[in-house]
Structures are given as structure tokens and as C-alpha cells.
Amino acid sequence: MEFSIDYFTRLADEAVSQIKYPDVCAGLYEPIRYAMGAGGKRLRPSLCMAVYAALTHGNPLDVISQATALEMYHNFTLLHDDVMDNADLRRGQPTVHRKWDANTAILSGDTMLSMAYGMLAKDAGERFRAVFDVFNRTALEIDEGQQLDMEFETRRRVTIEEYMEMIRLKTSVLLGCACQIGAIMAGASEEVCEKFYNYGISLGLAFQLQDDWLDTFGDPVIFGKEIGGDIVNKKKTWLLITSLAEAEEEVEGILGEDLVPEERVTQIKRVYDHLGLSKRCAAVAMRYADEAVAALRGVALDRDAEDFFVDLAHKAATRNH
């Protein structure tokens, strides 16, 4: 069996394309088909299948229902996030609430959540209770992370510790959940399940910090969107929070000026450069990638599986898109 992210991504894409939607109520299900067919990294289902295959040497399609449930749930959160953020585009195409309307996005999102729970149960057998408990706990934590993110928008100051906890809840826990469900379905011990969960948590932190870095320092052609959106929107990322802690007066002055977006980005980036934040943020991301790798110490894995998880962690912290 090929053990690569491309292989697992292909399996996830095929599964998503084969989802059966009811023939009735097209106004409810067509937006779901649209959102699920818009692409994406398929990282969560890939992790679920990869962990299962690594621990069992079996067919990753044995957990395709649980893997697809994770992808359905992830996209449900995006539909609702886009409504809350009033976002126009998602993956290069109009968001569901723009193509249809906000009520449709909310209701179709709710339906995706119900569909995800149905997929989660399929073929889970006696392991369903354990899988359900992890999944449901994760869903609540993601809601908590979203609430914190909204509260941060109106707060004048946010600490790095608060920010890291927010992204742990909003981003990392679903990656940890995907890994843990793969391990549970493989019949792994509680210790091994916990190790893979911790791997996913650290992987998610590295991934989000690199996202912060890319939004400011990435190549817009490769990254796929304009650079500097976080700065324009005064989003409290690791970069902005650190700059406020170390150059408060200068940063506050720039943010308070009536500047065109391009000029605000240029001036804030100049502060970031002076503080060396590009290298520092990249170093923190890599530290979490190393923590992800360290979390799997003691887990018996074939060489190809071990290389897969090591490479994935390091790519999360160094990717350019």
C-alpha cells in the first residue's frame, strides 16, 4: 500500500464524491454538495485513515465512514464560520451564504452536522461509543474556540497563552480527534490513542502558526490569496500579539491611523521585520512540529508510516500554501 498524503487525500476525495444525498429538498442538500465538492486539503480524513492503516496494516477504507464524517463536520463549521465572518469566498468560490443566503447556510450546515453523526456510527460496531465520546467532546471544544475567537475581536489585549489556547480549541482538537478516532477504530491501547491525539494537537498548532506566517510573509501567487488580510482586519495572530507586547506604541499608532490597506500592511510588516518576527514565528511553528513527532515516541510503526507522520508534521510548519 502506498503510504503518502496524496494517497489518503485521493481516497478522501473519492469518498466525498460518492456521498449519497436525498433526491428530495434540493434547496437543503445542493448547498452541501456544493460545499463538500469545493476541494480542500482533506487533512482530517487523511489522518484518520493513515493512523488506522499504520496501526493495523489494514485497508484504510475500513474507516472511510468515520473519515468522511470528520470532513463533513469540518465543512459544517466552515459554513457557519463564513456566515459569522461575513466572508465572500471560500476556496476561491462564493461562500454558501453568498451563493444562496444566510438562512440556507445555517440550515444546510445544521444538516451536515446531523449527516456527520450518521456517518460516524456506520460500521463502527462496538467501538462507536468511544468514537462518539471523542467526536462529541471535540465538537464542544471547537464551539468554545469559536467563541473565544469572537471575543478576541473586541478585546484590546490578548496574550500569547490565550491565543494558543484558542487555536488549540478551534483548529487543533479536530486534528487530534481524527488521529484518535483512527487509533480507536484500530483497537489501539488507551496510551497509543492518547499519543496520536497529542500528535494531532501539536500538528494543528504548527499548522495554524504557519497559516499566520503565510498570511503576512507568504507569496500571494503560491498562497492563493492576497497577503496581509490579518493585518488589515487587525486579527489577533501570534505576530500581531507579539508586536503589541514588544512595540505597543508604534503598532497602536499604525493601527489607529486612517491608512489604505496596502500602506497599513507595509508599515506593520516593517515593525515585524524590525522585531524579527518572521523567523521567530517560523521557529515556534517548527517547535510544535517537533513536539508532534516526539508525541509518537514508543509507538511501534513501520518505517514508511513513521516517515509519513514525521514528514507531515514538518511540512505543516514549512508549507508555502
Side-chain angles (χ1 to χ4, degrees):
M1 182 190 75
E2 179 185 355
F3 216 102
S4 71
I5 191 63
D6 289 341
Y7 171 68
F8 293 116
T9 300
R10 285 198 303 273
L11 293 182
D13 277 333
E14 289 171 10
V16 167
S17 70
Q18 293 170 11
I19 294 173
K20 302 297 183 185
Y21 298 97
D23 294 329
V24 299
C25 214
L28 180 66
Y29 293 106
E30 189 55 34
I32 301 175
R33 191 195 309 273
Y34 172 81
M36 292 295 288
K41 293 181 175 64
R42 310 296 192 204
L43 180 57
R44 292 144 194 88
S46 294
L47 279 170
C48 181
M49 289 186 284
V51 171
Y52 178 85
L55 293 174
T56 64
H57 306 104
N59 188 345
L61 293 177
D62 290 345
V63 291
I64 195 61
S65 293
Q66 290 69 41
T68 308
L70 289 158
E71 185 68 7
M72 180 68 76
Y73 176 81
H74 172 58
N75 280 274
F76 143 70
T77 66
L78 299 182
L79 255 69
H80 282 194
D81 281 359
D82 288 341
V83 172
M84 286 185 276
D85 294 342
N86 199 29
D88 294 325
L89 296 174
R90 168 71 65 179
R91 296 167 181 158
Q93 65 182 30
T95 51
V96 168
H97 74 98
R98 283 283 181 260
K99 186 173 176 63
W100 283 272
D101 53 48
N103 288 344
T104 296
I106 292 169
L107 188 57
S108 291
D110 291 344
T111 304
M112 293 171 81
L113 177 59
S114 299
M115 291 177 70
Y117 276 104
M119 294 170 177
L120 193 72
K122 186 177 179 182
D123 301 323
E126 62 183 11
R127 297 195 170 104
F128 173 66
R129 181 54 190 267
V131 167
F132 173 84
D133 286 346
V134 171
F135 189 88
N136 206 51
R137 181 196 72 205
T138 299
L140 291 172
E141 288 178 324
I142 291 171
D143 291 341
E144 292 169 5
Q146 179 65 18
Q147 179 64 33
L148 288 175
D149 195 21
M150 291 191 301
E151 291 175 4
F152 289 176
E153 291 178 6
T154 58
R155 279 179 52 181
R156 187 167 179 270
R157 285 289 179 272
V158 174
T159 67
I160 288 293
E161 292 73 22
E162 289 174 320
Y163 175 69
M164 295 306 298
E165 175 62 5
M166 184 273 287
I167 64 173
R168 184 188 74 83
L169 291 168
K170 188 172 178 181
T171 300
S172 293
V173 294
L174 191 55
L175 298 182
C177 173
C179 292
Q180 191 169 10
I181 286 176
I184 291 170
M185 291 298 294
S189 68
E190 188 173 323
E191 179 184 4
V192 170
C193 289
E194 188 68 17
K195 284 177 178 289
F196 269 110
Y197 180 78
N198 290 334
Y199 170 86
I201 291 293
S202 295
L203 177 74
L205 294 175
F207 190 93
Q208 185 57 53
L209 285 166
Q210 183 64 4
D211 235 29
D212 292 354
W213 185 93
L214 284 168
D215 192 86
T216 298
F217 297 106
D219 182 331
V221 175
I222 300 174
F223 189 35
K225 63 180 182 180
E226 289 298 316
I227 297 301
D230 287 346
I231 294 173
V232 172
N233 295 315
K234 305 178 184 179
K235 189 173 178 63
K236 295 178 178 69
T237 64
W238 186 95
L239 293 162
L240 184 59
I241 293 168
T242 303
S243 70
L244 283 167
E246 299 179 8
E248 178 179 7
E249 187 174 342
E250 185 175 5
V251 174
E252 286 281 19
I254 296 169
L255 295 179
E257 283 188 70
D258 184 18
L259 300 171
V260 296
E262 293 80 5
E263 183 60 24
R264 174 168 286 136
V265 170
T266 297
Q267 292 196 26
I268 290 293
K269 282 184 70 174
R270 190 175 297 126
V271 177
Y272 288 176
D273 289 339
H274 176 72
L275 296 173
L277 295 190
S278 175
K279 289 184 178 180
R280 290 166 61 187
C281 183
V284 176
M286 184 54 72
R287 190 185 81 216
Y288 281 109
D290 290 339
E291 286 184 9
V293 173
L296 296 184
R297 284 180 189 149
V299 179
L301 296 172
D302 288 348
R303 183 60 183 269
D304 57 347
E306 182 180 349
D307 288 346
F308 171 86
F309 292 112
V310 171
D311 290 346
L312 187 62
H314 288 158
K315 284 176 181 175
T318 59
R319 62 196 172 85
N320 59 10
H321 65 282

